[in-house]
PDB file of all heavy atoms in Angstrom:
ATOM      1  N   GLU A   1       0.828  -1.211  -0.016  1.00 98.00           N
ATOM      2  CA  GLU A   1       0.003   0.016  -0.004  1.00 98.00           C
ATOM      3  C   GLU A   1       0.866   1.250  -0.009  1.00 98.00           C
ATOM      4  O   GLU A   1       0.560   2.231  -0.717  1.00 98.00           O
ATOM      5  CB  GLU A   1      -0.939  -0.041   1.203  1.00 98.00           C
ATOM      6  CG  GLU A   1      -2.007  -1.086   1.093  1.00 98.00           C
ATOM      7  CD  GLU A   1      -2.799  -1.292   2.383  1.00 98.00           C
ATOM      8  OE1 GLU A   1      -2.323  -0.823   3.448  1.00 98.00           O
ATOM      9  OE2 GLU A   1      -3.889  -1.904   2.325  1.00 98.00           O
ATOM     10  N   LYS A   2       1.934   1.235   0.767  1.00 98.00           N
ATOM     11  CA  LYS A   2       2.865   2.371   0.816  1.00 98.00           C
ATOM     12  C   LYS A   2       3.488   2.644  -0.549  1.00 98.00           C
ATOM     13  O   LYS A   2       3.769   3.791  -0.922  1.00 98.00           O
ATOM     14  CB  LYS A   2       3.974   2.083   1.828  1.00 98.00           C
ATOM     15  CG  LYS A   2       5.016   3.173   1.992  1.00 98.00           C
ATOM     16  CD  LYS A   2       6.059   2.777   2.983  1.00 98.00           C
ATOM     17  CE  LYS A   2       7.206   3.817   3.067  1.00 98.00           C
ATOM     18  NZ  LYS A   2       8.256   3.367   4.005  1.00 98.00           N
ATOM     19  N   ASN A   3       3.677   1.567  -1.338  1.00 98.00           N
ATOM     20  CA  ASN A   3       4.292   1.708  -2.658  1.00 98.00           C
ATOM     21  C   ASN A   3       3.246   1.759  -3.791  1.00 98.00           C
ATOM     22  O   ASN A   3       3.555   1.507  -4.925  1.00 98.00           O
ATOM     23  CB  ASN A   3       5.271   0.533  -2.905  1.00 98.00           C
ATOM     24  CG  ASN A   3       6.582   0.717  -2.162  1.00 98.00           C
ATOM     25  OD1 ASN A   3       7.485   1.434  -2.624  1.00 98.00           O
ATOM     26  ND2 ASN A   3       6.674   0.100  -1.000  1.00 98.00           N
ATOM     27  N   ARG A   4       2.001   2.090  -3.398  1.00 98.00           N
ATOM     28  CA  ARG A   4       0.914   2.312  -4.358  1.00 98.00           C
ATOM     29  C   ARG A   4       0.620   1.078  -5.216  1.00 98.00           C
ATOM     30  O   ARG A   4       0.398   1.191  -6.435  1.00 98.00           O
ATOM     31  CB  ARG A   4       1.180   3.551  -5.219  1.00 98.00           C
ATOM     32  CG  ARG A   4       1.369   4.813  -4.441  1.00 98.00           C
ATOM     33  CD  ARG A   4       1.271   6.097  -5.257  1.00 98.00           C
ATOM     34  NE  ARG A   4       2.214   6.155  -6.355  1.00 98.00           N
ATOM     35  CZ  ARG A   4       3.468   6.599  -6.201  1.00 98.00           C
ATOM     36  NH1 ARG A   4       3.906   6.975  -5.003  1.00 98.00           N
ATOM     37  NH2 ARG A   4       4.271   6.661  -7.255  1.00 98.00           N
ATOM     38  N   VAL A   5       0.708  -0.075  -4.583  1.00 98.00           N
ATOM     39  CA  VAL A   5       0.395  -1.338  -5.242  1.00 98.00           C
ATOM     40  C   VAL A   5      -0.799  -1.987  -4.507  1.00 98.00           C
ATOM     41  O   VAL A   5      -0.789  -2.023  -3.261  1.00 98.00           O
ATOM     42  CB  VAL A   5       1.598  -2.301  -5.201  1.00 98.00           C
ATOM     43  CG1 VAL A   5       1.192  -3.688  -5.719  1.00 98.00           C
ATOM     44  CG2 VAL A   5       2.763  -1.754  -6.023  1.00 98.00           C
ATOM     45  N   ASP A   6      -1.798  -2.393  -5.223  1.00 98.00           N
ATOM     46  CA  ASP A   6      -2.982  -3.017  -4.617  1.00 98.00           C
ATOM     47  C   ASP A   6      -2.610  -4.386  -4.107  1.00 98.00           C
ATOM     48  O   ASP A   6      -2.339  -5.284  -4.964  1.00 98.00           O
ATOM     49  CB  ASP A   6      -4.100  -3.083  -5.642  1.00 98.00           C
ATOM     50  CG  ASP A   6      -5.414  -3.649  -5.049  1.00 98.00           C
ATOM     51  OD1 ASP A   6      -5.418  -4.018  -3.856  1.00 98.00           O
ATOM     52  OD2 ASP A   6      -6.411  -3.735  -5.805  1.00 98.00           O
ATOM     53  N   PRO A   7      -2.607  -4.662  -2.840  1.00 98.00           N
ATOM     54  CA  PRO A   7      -2.251  -5.981  -2.298  1.00 98.00           C
ATOM     55  C   PRO A   7      -3.172  -7.100  -2.802  1.00 98.00           C
ATOM     56  O   PRO A   7      -2.793  -8.254  -2.804  1.00 98.00           O
ATOM     57  CB  PRO A   7      -2.273  -5.826  -0.814  1.00 98.00           C
ATOM     58  CG  PRO A   7      -3.005  -4.563  -0.518  1.00 98.00           C
ATOM     59  CD  PRO A   7      -2.880  -3.705  -1.734  1.00 98.00           C
ATOM     60  N   LYS A   8      -4.401  -6.747  -3.195  1.00 98.00           N
ATOM     61  CA  LYS A   8      -5.309  -7.740  -3.703  1.00 98.00           C
ATOM     62  C   LYS A   8      -4.827  -8.364  -5.006  1.00 98.00           C
ATOM     63  O   LYS A   8      -5.330  -9.409  -5.401  1.00 98.00           O
ATOM     64  CB  LYS A   8      -6.719  -7.144  -3.859  1.00 98.00           C
ATOM     65  CG  LYS A   8      -7.396  -6.783  -2.547  1.00 98.00           C
ATOM     66  CD  LYS A   8      -8.756  -6.211  -2.790  1.00 98.00           C
ATOM     67  CE  LYS A   8      -9.438  -5.786  -1.491  1.00 98.00           C
ATOM     68  NZ  LYS A   8     -10.789  -5.180  -1.698  1.00 98.00           N
ATOM     69  N   THR A   9      -3.891  -7.697  -5.677  1.00 98.00           N
ATOM     70  CA  THR A   9      -3.343  -8.252  -6.932  1.00 98.00           C
ATOM     71  C   THR A   9      -2.088  -9.057  -6.684  1.00 98.00           C
ATOM     72  O   THR A   9      -1.502  -9.569  -7.650  1.00 98.00           O
ATOM     73  CB  THR A   9      -3.027  -7.105  -7.900  1.00 98.00           C
ATOM     74  OG1 THR A   9      -1.946  -6.307  -7.391  1.00 98.00           O
ATOM     75  CG2 THR A   9      -4.217  -6.210  -8.147  1.00 98.00           C
ATOM     76  N   LYS A  10      -1.673  -9.164  -5.453  1.00 98.00           N
ATOM     77  CA  LYS A  10      -0.412  -9.870  -5.116  1.00 98.00           C
ATOM     78  C   LYS A  10      -0.682 -11.127  -4.299  1.00 98.00           C
ATOM     79  O   LYS A  10      -1.690 -11.225  -3.622  1.00 98.00           O
ATOM     80  CB  LYS A  10       0.530  -8.935  -4.341  1.00 98.00           C
ATOM     81  CG  LYS A  10       0.921  -7.691  -5.144  1.00 98.00           C
ATOM     82  CD  LYS A  10       1.712  -8.085  -6.413  1.00 98.00           C
ATOM     83  CE  LYS A  10       2.086  -6.866  -7.251  1.00 98.00           C
ATOM     84  NZ  LYS A  10       2.860  -7.253  -8.458  1.00 98.00           N
ATOM     85  N   THR A  11       0.273 -12.060  -4.320  1.00 98.00           N
ATOM     86  CA  THR A  11       0.121 -13.320  -3.642  1.00 98.00           C
ATOM     87  C   THR A  11       1.059 -13.434  -2.429  1.00 98.00           C
ATOM     88  O   THR A  11       2.261 -13.185  -2.549  1.00 98.00           O
ATOM     89  CB  THR A  11       0.422 -14.516  -4.594  1.00 98.00           C
ATOM     90  OG1 THR A  11      -0.469 -14.428  -5.732  1.00 98.00           O
ATOM     91  CG2 THR A  11       0.243 -15.857  -3.914  1.00 98.00           C
ATOM     92  N   LEU A  12       0.485 -13.779  -1.299  1.00 98.00           N
ATOM     93  CA  LEU A  12       1.254 -14.075  -0.091  1.00 98.00           C
ATOM     94  C   LEU A  12       1.302 -15.589   0.077  1.00 98.00           C
ATOM     95  O   LEU A  12       0.290 -16.248   0.215  1.00 98.00           O
ATOM     96  CB  LEU A  12       0.568 -13.450   1.136  1.00 98.00           C
ATOM     97  CG  LEU A  12       0.795 -11.965   1.444  1.00 98.00           C
ATOM     98  CD1 LEU A  12       0.344 -11.098   0.269  1.00 98.00           C
ATOM     99  CD2 LEU A  12       0.091 -11.583   2.707  1.00 98.00           C
ATOM    100  N   VAL A  13       2.508 -16.135  -0.002  1.00 98.00           N
ATOM    101  CA  VAL A  13       2.697 -17.596   0.099  1.00 98.00           C
ATOM    102  C   VAL A  13       3.276 -17.922   1.468  1.00 98.00           C
ATOM    103  O   VAL A  13       4.309 -17.370   1.857  1.00 98.00           O
ATOM    104  CB  VAL A  13       3.632 -18.134  -0.997  1.00 98.00           C
ATOM    105  CG1 VAL A  13       3.800 -19.668  -0.873  1.00 98.00           C
ATOM    106  CG2 VAL A  13       3.106 -17.779  -2.384  1.00 98.00           C
ATOM    107  N   PHE A  14       2.613 -18.794   2.204  1.00 98.00           N
ATOM    108  CA  PHE A  14       3.067 -19.214   3.520  1.00 98.00           C
ATOM    109  C   PHE A  14       3.552 -20.655   3.462  1.00 98.00           C
ATOM    110  O   PHE A  14       2.860 -21.528   2.917  1.00 98.00           O
ATOM    111  CB  PHE A  14       1.939 -19.093   4.542  1.00 98.00           C
ATOM    112  CG  PHE A  14       1.425 -17.673   4.744  1.00 98.00           C
ATOM    113  CD1 PHE A  14       0.417 -17.179   3.940  1.00 98.00           C
ATOM    114  CD2 PHE A  14       1.971 -16.860   5.730  1.00 98.00           C
ATOM    115  CE1 PHE A  14      -0.044 -15.880   4.138  1.00 98.00           C
ATOM    116  CE2 PHE A  14       1.533 -15.574   5.912  1.00 98.00           C
ATOM    117  CZ  PHE A  14       0.534 -15.076   5.139  1.00 98.00           C
ATOM    118  N   SER A  15       4.761 -20.917   4.032  1.00 96.00           N
ATOM    119  CA  SER A  15       5.329 -22.276   3.917  1.00 96.00           C
ATOM    120  C   SER A  15       6.139 -22.710   5.111  1.00 96.00           C
ATOM    121  O   SER A  15       6.850 -23.701   5.024  1.00 96.00           O
ATOM    122  CB  SER A  15       6.187 -22.367   2.650  1.00 96.00           C
ATOM    123  OG  SER A  15       7.313 -21.486   2.732  1.00 96.00           O
ATOM    124  N   ASP A  16       5.970 -22.038   6.252  1.00 95.00           N
ATOM    125  CA  ASP A  16       6.824 -22.319   7.400  1.00 95.00           C
ATOM    126  C   ASP A  16       6.120 -23.238   8.388  1.00 95.00           C
ATOM    127  O   ASP A  16       5.282 -22.794   9.171  1.00 95.00           O
ATOM    128  CB  ASP A  16       7.237 -21.043   8.085  1.00 95.00           C
ATOM    129  CG  ASP A  16       8.126 -21.261   9.319  1.00 95.00           C
ATOM    130  OD1 ASP A  16       8.848 -22.269   9.323  1.00 95.00           O
ATOM    131  OD2 ASP A  16       8.064 -20.442  10.261  1.00 95.00           O
ATOM    132  N   SER A  17       6.461 -24.552   8.347  1.00 92.00           N
ATOM    133  CA  SER A  17       5.979 -25.525   9.347  1.00 92.00           C
ATOM    134  C   SER A  17       4.496 -25.463   9.562  1.00 92.00           C
ATOM    135  O   SER A  17       3.989 -25.443  10.713  1.00 92.00           O
ATOM    136  CB  SER A  17       6.711 -25.293  10.695  1.00 92.00           C
ATOM    137  OG  SER A  17       8.111 -25.320  10.510  1.00 92.00           O
ATOM    138  N   LEU A  18       3.746 -25.432   8.469  1.00 97.00           N
ATOM    139  CA  LEU A  18       2.296 -25.227   8.546  1.00 97.00           C
ATOM    140  C   LEU A  18       1.540 -26.505   8.925  1.00 97.00           C
ATOM    141  O   LEU A  18       1.883 -27.585   8.512  1.00 97.00           O
ATOM    142  CB  LEU A  18       1.745 -24.736   7.213  1.00 97.00           C
ATOM    143  CG  LEU A  18       2.153 -23.306   6.783  1.00 97.00           C
ATOM    144  CD1 LEU A  18       1.564 -22.995   5.432  1.00 97.00           C
ATOM    145  CD2 LEU A  18       1.693 -22.284   7.788  1.00 97.00           C
ATOM    146  N   THR A  19       0.505 -26.346   9.772  1.00 96.00           N
ATOM    147  CA  THR A  19      -0.490 -27.354   9.984  1.00 96.00           C
ATOM    148  C   THR A  19      -1.789 -26.864   9.308  1.00 96.00           C
ATOM    149  O   THR A  19      -1.895 -25.690   8.945  1.00 96.00           O
ATOM    150  CB  THR A  19      -0.747 -27.560  11.457  1.00 96.00           C
ATOM    151  OG1 THR A  19      -1.306 -26.356  11.985  1.00 96.00           O
ATOM    152  CG2 THR A  19       0.515 -27.901  12.201  1.00 96.00           C
ATOM    153  N   PHE A  20      -2.744 -27.746   9.152  1.00 97.00           N
ATOM    154  CA  PHE A  20      -4.015 -27.323   8.567  1.00 97.00           C
ATOM    155  C   PHE A  20      -4.767 -26.335   9.436  1.00 97.00           C
ATOM    156  O   PHE A  20      -5.453 -25.452   8.949  1.00 97.00           O
ATOM    157  CB  PHE A  20      -4.867 -28.522   8.199  1.00 97.00           C
ATOM    158  CG  PHE A  20      -4.563 -29.119   6.851  1.00 97.00           C
ATOM    159  CD1 PHE A  20      -3.250 -29.306   6.425  1.00 97.00           C
ATOM    160  CD2 PHE A  20      -5.577 -29.508   5.975  1.00 97.00           C
ATOM    161  CE1 PHE A  20      -2.939 -29.822   5.173  1.00 97.00           C
ATOM    162  CE2 PHE A  20      -5.262 -30.039   4.727  1.00 97.00           C
ATOM    163  CZ  PHE A  20      -3.972 -30.203   4.340  1.00 97.00           C
ATOM    164  N   ASP A  21      -4.619 -26.445  10.725  1.00 96.00           N
ATOM    165  CA  ASP A  21      -5.222 -25.479  11.670  1.00 96.00           C
ATOM    166  C   ASP A  21      -4.609 -24.086  11.414  1.00 96.00           C
ATOM    167  O   ASP A  21      -5.349 -23.084  11.367  1.00 96.00           O
ATOM    168  CB  ASP A  21      -4.989 -25.869  13.124  1.00 96.00           C
ATOM    169  CG  ASP A  21      -5.836 -27.047  13.547  1.00 96.00           C
ATOM    170  OD1 ASP A  21      -6.878 -27.291  12.877  1.00 96.00           O
ATOM    171  OD2 ASP A  21      -5.489 -27.710  14.536  1.00 96.00           O
ATOM    172  N   LYS A  22      -3.312 -24.028  11.251  1.00 97.00           N
ATOM    173  CA  LYS A  22      -2.644 -22.759  10.997  1.00 97.00           C
ATOM    174  C   LYS A  22      -3.023 -22.196   9.631  1.00 97.00           C
ATOM    175  O   LYS A  22      -3.204 -21.000   9.460  1.00 97.00           O
ATOM    176  CB  LYS A  22      -1.120 -22.914  11.103  1.00 97.00           C
ATOM    177  CG  LYS A  22      -0.347 -21.606  11.109  1.00 97.00           C
ATOM    178  CD  LYS A  22      -0.678 -20.795  12.379  1.00 97.00           C
ATOM    179  CE  LYS A  22       0.057 -19.511  12.457  1.00 97.00           C
ATOM    180  NZ  LYS A  22      -0.332 -18.718  13.663  1.00 97.00           N
ATOM    181  N   VAL A  23      -3.152 -23.124   8.656  1.00 98.00           N
ATOM    182  CA  VAL A  23      -3.607 -22.682   7.304  1.00 98.00           C
ATOM    183  C   VAL A  23      -4.949 -21.992   7.368  1.00 98.00           C
ATOM    184  O   VAL A  23      -5.129 -20.889   6.838  1.00 98.00           O
ATOM    185  CB  VAL A  23      -3.653 -23.908   6.372  1.00 98.00           C
ATOM    186  CG1 VAL A  23      -4.455 -23.561   5.094  1.00 98.00           C
ATOM    187  CG2 VAL A  23      -2.243 -24.360   5.997  1.00 98.00           C
ATOM    188  N   SER A  24      -5.906 -22.605   8.034  1.00 97.00           N
ATOM    189  CA  SER A  24      -7.233 -22.025   8.083  1.00 97.00           C
ATOM    190  C   SER A  24      -7.218 -20.682   8.849  1.00 97.00           C
ATOM    191  O   SER A  24      -7.925 -19.752   8.494  1.00 97.00           O
ATOM    192  CB  SER A  24      -8.219 -23.004   8.709  1.00 97.00           C
ATOM    193  OG  SER A  24      -7.853 -23.360  10.033  1.00 97.00           O
ATOM    194  N   GLU A  25      -6.439 -20.616   9.909  1.00 98.00           N
ATOM    195  CA  GLU A  25      -6.353 -19.386  10.696  1.00 98.00           C
ATOM    196  C   GLU A  25      -5.802 -18.257   9.856  1.00 98.00           C
ATOM    197  O   GLU A  25      -6.355 -17.126   9.856  1.00 98.00           O
ATOM    198  CB  GLU A  25      -5.448 -19.614  11.906  1.00 98.00           C
ATOM    199  CG  GLU A  25      -5.175 -18.404  12.776  1.00 98.00           C
ATOM    200  CD  GLU A  25      -4.121 -18.650  13.835  1.00 98.00           C
ATOM    201  OE1 GLU A  25      -4.007 -19.804  14.299  1.00 98.00           O
ATOM    202  OE2 GLU A  25      -3.368 -17.727  14.144  1.00 98.00           O
ATOM    203  N   LEU A  26      -4.708 -18.511   9.139  1.00 98.00           N
ATOM    204  CA  LEU A  26      -4.100 -17.500   8.283  1.00 98.00           C
ATOM    205  C   LEU A  26      -4.999 -17.121   7.128  1.00 98.00           C
ATOM    206  O   LEU A  26      -5.109 -15.946   6.725  1.00 98.00           O
ATOM    207  CB  LEU A  26      -2.757 -17.991   7.756  1.00 98.00           C
ATOM    208  CG  LEU A  26      -1.618 -18.043   8.808  1.00 98.00           C
ATOM    209  CD1 LEU A  26      -0.403 -18.806   8.243  1.00 98.00           C
ATOM    210  CD2 LEU A  26      -1.191 -16.646   9.268  1.00 98.00           C
ATOM    211  N   TYR A  27      -5.643 -18.116   6.536  1.00 98.00           N
ATOM    212  CA  TYR A  27      -6.530 -17.825   5.382  1.00 98.00           C
ATOM    213  C   TYR A  27      -7.666 -16.892   5.799  1.00 98.00           C
ATOM    214  O   TYR A  27      -7.932 -15.913   5.117  1.00 98.00           O
ATOM    215  CB  TYR A  27      -7.084 -19.152   4.833  1.00 98.00           C
ATOM    216  CG  TYR A  27      -8.002 -18.879   3.652  1.00 98.00           C
ATOM    217  CD1 TYR A  27      -7.478 -18.648   2.364  1.00 98.00           C
ATOM    218  CD2 TYR A  27      -9.392 -18.851   3.777  1.00 98.00           C
ATOM    219  CE1 TYR A  27      -8.304 -18.400   1.269  1.00 98.00           C
ATOM    220  CE2 TYR A  27     -10.234 -18.596   2.714  1.00 98.00           C
ATOM    221  CZ  TYR A  27      -9.669 -18.365   1.469  1.00 98.00           C
ATOM    222  OH  TYR A  27     -10.491 -18.079   0.405  1.00 98.00           O
ATOM    223  N   MET A  28      -8.287 -17.191   6.909  1.00 97.00           N
ATOM    224  CA  MET A  28      -9.422 -16.369   7.333  1.00 97.00           C
ATOM    225  C   MET A  28      -8.962 -14.984   7.783  1.00 97.00           C
ATOM    226  O   MET A  28      -9.704 -14.033   7.697  1.00 97.00           O
ATOM    227  CB  MET A  28     -10.207 -17.085   8.407  1.00 97.00           C
ATOM    228  CG  MET A  28     -11.033 -18.239   7.821  1.00 97.00           C
ATOM    229  SD  MET A  28     -12.204 -19.002   8.957  1.00 97.00           S
ATOM    230  CE  MET A  28     -11.114 -20.130   9.854  1.00 97.00           C
TER     231      MET A  28
END
């Protein structure tokens, strides 16, 4: 946002020791 880029057009990839509980928490 600070760099005038719409974050909705960008992808945040999470890959650090994830469980499905953590996946759902981060997704929501």
Side-chain angles (χ1 to χ4, degrees):
E1 292 171 342
K2 179 182 175 182
N3 284 278
R4 301 197 301 277
V5 173
D6 182 359
K8 292 180 182 178
T9 66
K10 298 298 178 178
T11 302
L12 279 58
V13 180
F14 297 89
S15 62
D16 180 30
S17 305
L18 292 178
T19 64
F20 273 44
D21 286 340
K22 192 64 179 178
V23 164
S24 59
E25 176 189 328
L26 288 168
Y27 180 81
M28 287 188 278

